[in-house]
Amino acid sequence: MRIDDFNLNRRESDALRSYAKNNTFPQTFLVEGGTLDERVKFARFLANMIVCKGEDEKPCGICPACVKCRANANPDIKQYGEEKENYTFKVELSRQIKQDAFVIPNDSDKKVYIITEAQNMNDSSENALLKILEEPPHFDYFILTCTSKSAMLDTIISRASLISLSQADEVYSEKCVELAKAIAIAVCADTEAELLKELSPLAGDKNSFLETLSVLTRIFTDALIFKQTGINSSEFSDATNALCGKLSAGKLYSLTAVTGELVRLFKQNANYNLLITAMSERLRSAVGK
């Protein structure tokens, strides 16, 4: 299988190819959307990409690691959780993963943990797993699948590179694009007043809120890819360049978590005026302002 066999948008496909070419895979991925079968298949494909020893496109399909992956017998890829949407992911499993994570790989210089349907973790399970995600050994990589990132703790989301299946490239209005770019740049401003100024058009335009948040998420994610790979191919390159020059990868992760939480609150019919105020506070908090 190849990257193009999966229903990814261009940005995500380009990012994965860049990670593989430069050997700069993030240590934690969160795969959302699609069907259960699609999530599991993609997680296994991504794990194969990470351990592949081929020199060109990954997975090469012919190196020893790929041969073992095809036979579902690679000792450096471990899968936890059941392949069904409703089950209880017990805290003991998270503790088992944490303990095993410090054991060096068998055949490769990398180990990959696939954790299926992570939305079934309770808070205790997520918090136990979070401890190893915060400071994993350099050889460990984690791939979590879930129905939607909104079902995960913000602290998990903030440490993961998000991949959404069944998500085509979106087309945005020029108004929302320009507004989101201005907001993104203002996030790093010295005073909150500058950010509030750029947010003010949203106060009187509730219909543009979700679209603007979607663009913001794209900008923050593209900036993170630029930070990790050194490649800035984003259509919002002016904003991503400004963010990447001022923020760490961790802060860019946190910004994507903030926009996801704001979408959830909006859909829960939170007070809109308070939501705009919370947007300013949360964005600035994510970057340490």
Side-chain angles (χ1 to χ4, degrees):
M1 299 188 76
R2 293 290 181 264
I3 291 175
D4 293 336
D5 294 329
F6 296 94
N7 197 11
L8 305 176
N9 62 40
R10 177 195 55 79
R11 176 175 51 86
E12 291 171 334
S13 297
D14 288 349
L16 286 174
R17 288 190 172 95
S18 179
Y19 296 147
K21 180 179 179 180
N22 297 287
N23 195 28
T24 55
F25 287 100
Q27 286 189 267
T28 304
F29 285 93
L30 182 62
V31 179
E32 69 164 359
T35 65
L36 172 59
D37 184 59
E38 288 170 339
R39 291 191 292 274
V40 174
K41 283 183 177 179
F42 179 76
R44 291 174 178 166
F45 172 82
L46 180 54
N48 193 171
M49 283 187 75
I50 292 171
V51 300
C52 174
K53 292 292 188 178
E55 296 296 328
D56 298 315
E57 184 174 359
K58 299 177 185 290
C60 68
I62 58 175
C63 72
C66 285
V67 171
K68 291 180 179 180
C69 285
R70 189 163 58 247
N72 198 27
N74 193 309
D76 294 321
I77 297 177
K78 300 190 176 186
Q79 183 171 324
Y80 293 83
E82 298 181 31
E83 293 180 30
K84 56 184 181 180
E85 294 184 351
N86 296 308
Y87 74 96
T88 301
F89 193 106
K90 297 182 179 179
V91 68
E92 287 77 12
L93 272 180
S94 293
R95 291 171 179 159
Q96 182 180 341
I97 294 169
K98 180 182 176 182
Q99 182 176 7
D100 186 78
F102 292 95
V103 179
I104 63 174
N106 286 276
D107 295 347
S108 176
D109 58 351
K110 300 180 179 72
K111 278 172 57 177
V112 183
Y113 294 87
I114 298 173
I115 302 170
T116 61
E117 302 309 277
Q119 75 275 0
N120 292 314
M121 292 182 173
N122 56 29
D123 288 350
S124 296
S125 298
E126 285 194 80
N127 285 322
L129 183 65
L130 179 62
K131 293 178 181 178
I132 191 64
L133 297 184
E134 288 177 333
E135 295 185 29
H138 66 89
F139 48 75
D140 282 341
Y141 295 80
F142 298 88
I143 304 171
L144 287 69
T145 73
C146 64
T147 52
S148 171
K149 68 176 184 179
S150 63
M152 305 298 298
L153 289 176
D154 287 347
T155 45
I156 295 284
I157 296 171
S158 68
R159 287 163 176 79
S161 182
L162 180 68
I163 295 179
S164 296
L165 300 178
S166 303
Q167 184 179 42
D169 289 311
E170 296 182 70
V171 177
Y172 303 111
S173 68
E174 182 178 355
K175 177 181 69 174
C176 288
V177 167
E178 294 304 315
L179 179 55
K181 287 164 62 176
I183 293 170
I185 292 172
V187 164
C188 299
D190 292 333
T191 66
E192 188 176 12
E194 295 176 67
L195 178 56
L196 289 170
K197 175 184 175 183
E198 301 301 345
L199 286 171
S200 61
L202 284 177
D205 189 6
K206 188 175 182 179
N207 293 331
S208 296
F209 186 78
L210 286 179
E211 184 178 351
T212 302
L213 278 183
S214 181
V215 182
L216 267 177
T217 302
R218 282 283 304 276
I219 291 172
F220 296 149
T221 303
D222 287 355
L224 178 59
I225 292 170
F226 182 24
K227 192 77 175 181
Q228 293 172 325
T229 67
I231 299 172
N232 189 4
S233 58
S234 174
E235 61 190 284
F236 317 109
S237 58
D238 49 350
T240 56
N241 185 62
L243 288 168
C244 190
K246 295 181 178 180
L247 301 177
S248 66
K251 288 179 179 178
L252 291 168
Y253 275 134
S254 296
L255 285 170
T256 62
V258 168
T259 55
E261 177 64 11
L262 290 169
V263 169
R264 185 184 67 80
L265 291 172
F266 181 85
K267 291 181 177 180
Q268 289 180 346
N269 295 314
N271 182 289
Y272 188 65
N273 291 329
L274 293 178
L275 193 57
I276 296 297
T277 301
M279 185 173 180
S280 175
E281 293 174 350
R282 294 186 183 204
L283 288 174
R284 285 181 61 79
S285 176
V287 299
K289 296 289 186 178

